Amino acid sequence: MMSGPSFPLQVAVRFLKEGRTQSALILIGAGVGVAVLVFLSCLITSLQNSLITQTLGSQAHIVVRPPDEVVSPVRSEQALRSVEKAAQRLTPIEQWPRVLDAVKGTPGIVATSPVVSGSGQALRGLAKRAVTVRGIVPESFDGIIDLKGRMKQGTWQVSGDGCLVGTELARELGLAVGDRTRILVDDEHSSTCRVQGIFDLGAKDVNLRWVLVPLRQAQTLFALDGGISIIEARVDDIFAATAVAADITARTGLVADSWMTLNAQLMVALQSQGSSSDMIQFFVIVAVALGISSVLVVSVVQKSKEVGILRAMGASASQIQRVFLWQGAIVGLSGSLLGTAMGLGLLGLFKMAPLTFTIETPPALIIRACVIALVTGLVAAVVPARRAAKLDPAVAIRS
Amino acid sequence: MSTPNATTTSNATTTTGGPQRPTDAATPVMRLRGLTKDFGEGETLARVLKGIDLEIGRHDFAALIGPSGSGKSTLLNILGLLDRPTAGLLEVNGIDASGFDDAARTTLRGQTLGFIFQFHHLLPAFSALENVLMPIRVVRPLTKADVDWGRHLLAEVGLADKEKRKPGELSGGQQQRVAIARALAPRPALILADEPTGNLDTESSAQAFALMEKAHQEYDCAFLIVTHDPRIAARCRRVVEIVDGRIQKDTGER
């Protein structure tokens, strides 16, 4: 009958069962708190993940390019003072295979791909569209941006005189797989290529502008002669991209931009969203802690006679302390179960509404909410538990 | 002589094995010499116990009487190891316990003493049998033998069929009988009863007293009963009267 759980745990359970209304109230309080934690963190995380996934669907984590050419005018009275940047010329990365190795060797980098990227025009019949011509090695480029999974028609392995275009460009120029289009870079450089595939990278602008051609063909078009203009890289931890980019700059002397700096506004939005959600969660936790704590303080007063009796029976002060710590832990733990159920229920309701993103419920977030609730319950119980342990048994019995 | 009032560490001098019931029957359960207790300090200092000399033998069945405010309750708290004396000697089973800290007193209390209170003071959340076994349960997990012992004690007080009842489902007299069984559970050397019949009707009162007498004989356990009831005192073999913090009269063994 009484063997099994530890004595303080058993008394804690009995005390909670005895004060049924009170226990139900703090349980609901803790549950609502956990529900907010689960709901908010899942919602915000899902929203942010979807925004990031969308952004990174057509963007490399890190883009490495040569430094901007600095034209240094001759400092002289007679010199012409107007300085213009050379137009329409791609600056190659010097000794790029060596640089590529250096980028590959940077900690945190999981994939790299050499790219030639420049602007041009795509022509078909009388239609003409400004495009970004990107010369890629399909196999390595697929490691940077998921091409394989985003093809609407045709193949992703562009080769020979082939090219891949986005759905928007295909629509505007009336292109289908097998059709030909002319790519014009400048007066001297142009080529005709055959559409091998049509992709949808999830961003309208990219679908309209990108023309993917084999690296070699782009090198010819931009007169790079075996050179490349940028290296694109993928990192394992997307939020470490800026740090990794800085590392790459230090190693290669080239400019490395992370997706975070390229999307500074998005990052600010995500961060403020994240911190306001953290703030709300923090205050919810504080409110829950105060709620549990105050109810337990009252319960210590109510139970002081029982505490005195237990002390007279030979229960130690530390056993009494544990009785109340257990109560905090039990409330925290059962509150987290209840709260998880409520939070998931709420998310379920949200899922029924039309949303632009899918709501995920990662176990890690739920476990986090439960751990927070448990710790909150324990911390909230510390003060009441100490009070209970300090009760003078002689006085408590007579209360 | 004062030990730091640590609450968690148990004093090494107290605990060496199970309940301490020395074979030497001559050693008193309690021995008090020049024991005093002060409350307050400075201007408001009040000496409630003014030098108590008292011995409670292994086979005593004693009443402690005295007017309200005489220091009865204070003495009972000190005997019950619920409170510490200000000065003087307090020996329990021949061991000087005057300077014991809270943890050491708790251990000694659990091993040596049983309590019966005026208002039974059962734990309402636990059944009759669980209440009876509580003094054992606070110290260690229960064994089958413990549970059998608890049932035996409940049967002894005539409540064999009520073991699953919560205190709230029992009458006042029944509750006090559960409390008597509980006091006996740890096989204490001494049971301290604080007005055990004070809150009972005549019949229940007589029944409770009879049970205490029976327990005294059957389980070889000393009793000290604080009472206002002259009829109860008259039936005790020894009467100790305390007035104004001093022992005024002690009939000794009768």
Side-chain angles (χ1 to χ4, degrees):
Chain A
M1 44 173 279
M2 279 214 249
S3 56
S6 85
F7 170 69
L9 170 57
Q10 199 198 5
V11 177
V13 170
R14 290 296 174 91
F15 277 7
L16 285 172
K17 275 190 190 162
E18 200 184 3
R20 211 159 283 164
T21 325
Q22 210 162 301
S23 306
L25 285 177
I26 50 173
L27 204 64
I28 291 170
V32 168
V34 173
V36 171
L37 250 58
V38 168
F39 176 76
L40 209 55
S41 57
C42 285
L43 191 70
I44 296 289
T45 308
S46 305
L47 178 62
Q48 298 201 336
N49 281 349
S50 106
L51 283 174
I52 290 169
T53 312
Q54 213 164 10
T55 305
L56 295 182
S58 56
Q59 204 170 60
H61 296 169
I62 293 174
V63 177
V64 185
R65 59 178 171 87
D68 289 327
E69 283 179 322
V70 180
V71 186
S72 39
V74 182
R75 282 204 161 273
S76 130
E77 294 297 320
Q78 293 86 12
L80 197 62
R81 299 304 295 267
S82 167
V83 176
E84 275 179 24
K85 200 182 163 193
Q88 292 294 326
R89 219 186 82 199
L90 285 186
T91 323
I93 294 176
E94 282 171 32
Q95 296 183 307
W96 69 265
R98 199 183 47 78
V99 176
L100 188 67
D101 283 343
V103 174
K104 265 183 198 159
T106 309
I109 294 290
V110 290
T112 55
S113 183
V115 175
V116 169
S117 179
S119 46
Q121 287 178 318
L123 294 83
R124 186 173 191 236
L126 292 174
K128 187 159 82 173
R129 289 288 178 275
V131 296
T132 302
V133 181
R134 293 171 66 87
I136 58 164
V137 180
E139 288 72 20
S140 67
F141 189 72
D142 188 58
I144 307 296
I145 290 164
D146 173 33
L147 206 54
K148 212 185 288 183
R150 303 297 194 97
M151 296 309 294
K152 291 284 154 200
Q153 286 174 44
T155 175
W156 59 281
Q157 281 162 310
V158 65
S159 60
D161 66 344
C163 70
L164 308 179
V165 295
T167 47
E168 291 294 317
L169 188 65
R171 195 173 53 80
E172 297 214 348
L173 294 184
L175 290 169
V177 173
D179 289 350
R180 289 183 175 274
T181 176
R182 206 155 83 87
I183 306 288
L184 183 73
V185 168
D186 55 39
D187 295 344
E188 293 146 43
H189 296 92
S190 70
S191 81
T192 303
C193 54
R194 196 163 44 80
V195 176
Q196 289 178 323
I198 295 172
F199 58 79
D200 176 7
L201 289 181
K204 195 169 178 180
D205 189 56
V206 169
N207 290 344
L208 179 64
R209 301 223 169 260
W210 278 18
V211 175
L212 301 176
V213 299
L215 186 66
R216 188 168 297 279
Q217 204 187 344
Q219 285 167 338
T220 313
L221 273 170
F222 291 101
L224 281 176
D225 192 23
I228 61 167
S229 64
I230 55 176
I231 293 171
E232 297 195 327
R234 186 181 186 86
V235 292
D236 50 3
D237 172 12
I238 56 170
F239 293 104
T242 301
V244 176
D247 195 6
I248 290 173
T249 303
R251 282 162 185 255
T252 61
L254 301 182
V255 176
D257 288 322
S258 73
W259 70 275
M260 298 161 87
T261 34
L262 294 174
N263 298 278
Q265 215 153 8
L266 175 69
M267 286 314 292
V268 170
L270 292 183
Q271 261 156 19
S272 34
Q273 201 178 53
S275 44
S276 53
S277 142
D278 286 348
M279 196 81 101
I280 293 170
Q281 294 187 39
F282 172 75
F283 284 115
V284 166
I285 293 166
V286 169
V288 167
L290 290 177
I292 295 178
S293 205
S294 62
V295 170
L296 285 181
V297 164
V298 171
S299 139
V300 169
V301 175
Q302 288 173 336
K303 294 273 186 285
S304 60
K305 195 169 82 181
E306 270 109 319
V307 167
I309 298 167
L310 286 169
R311 292 302 313 273
M313 302 289 112
S316 67
S318 82
Q319 278 178 315
I320 298 299
Q321 185 164 345
R322 272 178 282 148
V323 166
F324 286 88
L325 288 177
W326 268 119
Q327 291 190 57
I330 292 168
V331 168
L333 205 63
S334 23
S336 67
L337 294 181
L338 181 69
T340 302
M342 293 199 293
L344 292 181
L346 214 54
L347 288 169
L349 284 181
F350 248 65
K351 277 181 190 168
M352 288 194 252
L355 292 176
T356 56
F357 61 100
T358 46
I359 294 179
E360 297 155 46
T361 48
L365 283 183
I366 289 160
I367 291 169
R368 168 182 167 273
C370 294
V371 170
I372 289 176
L374 179 62
V375 172
T376 306
L378 270 177
V379 170
V382 166
V383 171
R386 282 209 182 135
R387 271 199 181 194
K390 276 190 191 147
L391 281 178
D392 181 346
V395 177
I397 277 182
R398 282 169 209 287
S399 60
Chain B
M1 80 163 221
S2 67
T3 322
N5 204 8
T7 49
T8 46
T9 54
S10 87
N11 194 312
T13 53
T14 52
T15 53
T16 42
Q20 305 191 344
R21 300 195 62 172
T23 41
D24 180 7
T27 312
V29 187
M30 288 278 175
R31 189 163 153 263
L32 278 56
R33 283 287 172 271
L35 187 133
T36 62
K37 178 67 181 179
D38 299 341
F39 285 107
E41 48 188 87
E43 293 276 304
T44 60
L45 186 124
R47 175 150 292 188
V48 176
L49 296 180
K50 301 166 178 171
I52 302 280
D53 295 325
L54 180 68
E55 275 180 24
I56 300 170
R58 315 217 70 83
H59 307 292
D60 270 353
F61 193 81
L64 178 64
I65 58 170
S68 309
S70 58
K72 274 192 324 255
S73 299
T74 307
L75 180 58
L76 198 69
N77 282 343
I78 290 173
L79 289 171
L81 301 169
L82 293 168
D83 206 349
R84 344 167 36 157
T86 304
L89 178 75
L90 169 67
E91 263 183 23
V92 181
N93 278 338
I95 298 160
D96 181 2
S98 0
F100 276 15
D101 66 7
D102 180 76
R105 276 187 281 125
T106 299
T107 310
L108 189 57
R109 178 163 68 233
Q111 288 170 348
T112 322
L113 301 174
F115 290 88
I116 302 170
F117 306 97
Q118 179 174 4
F119 300 100
H120 67 79
H121 285 342
L122 298 175
L123 296 169
F126 291 83
S127 73
L129 182 57
E130 286 170 329
N131 266 289
V132 169
L133 291 169
M134 192 57 72
I136 303 174
R137 182 64 179 96
V138 297
V139 190
R140 59 178 168 82
L142 296 173
T143 63
K144 177 78 176 56
D146 292 329
V147 177
D148 290 344
W149 168 240
R151 291 210 167 102
H152 167 75
L153 288 172
L154 267 182
E156 284 278 58
V157 300
L159 296 171
D161 55 337
K162 302 277 195 288
E163 65 168 67
K164 290 209 170 67
R165 300 291 179 84
K166 295 279 169 71
E169 300 162 350
L170 299 172
S171 73
Q174 289 172 330
Q175 288 175 344
Q176 195 58 304
R177 275 142 65 194
V178 174
I180 292 170
R182 178 179 66 180
L184 288 164
R187 297 180 167 86
L190 169 64
I191 288 180
L192 299 167
D194 188 2
E195 306 259 10
T197 59
N199 208 34
L200 299 178
D201 59 53
T202 320
E203 196 195 326
S204 302
S205 168
Q207 211 173 14
F209 189 80
L211 279 173
M212 290 194 283
E213 278 183 315
K214 183 175 152 202
H216 170 63
Q217 280 151 15
E218 233 167 89
Y219 300 108
D220 189 24
C221 163
F223 270 81
L224 182 69
I225 302 164
V226 172
T227 185
H228 274 121
D229 187 342
R231 285 170 301 172
I232 298 286
R235 289 176 63 184
C236 291
R237 286 189 295 169
R238 177 183 175 190
V239 176
V240 180
E241 186 177 3
I242 180 168
V243 175
D244 194 22
R246 289 194 179 84
I247 290 179
Q248 181 134 35
K249 201 174 82 185
D250 185 350
T251 63
E253 283 290 307
R254 285 194 289 204

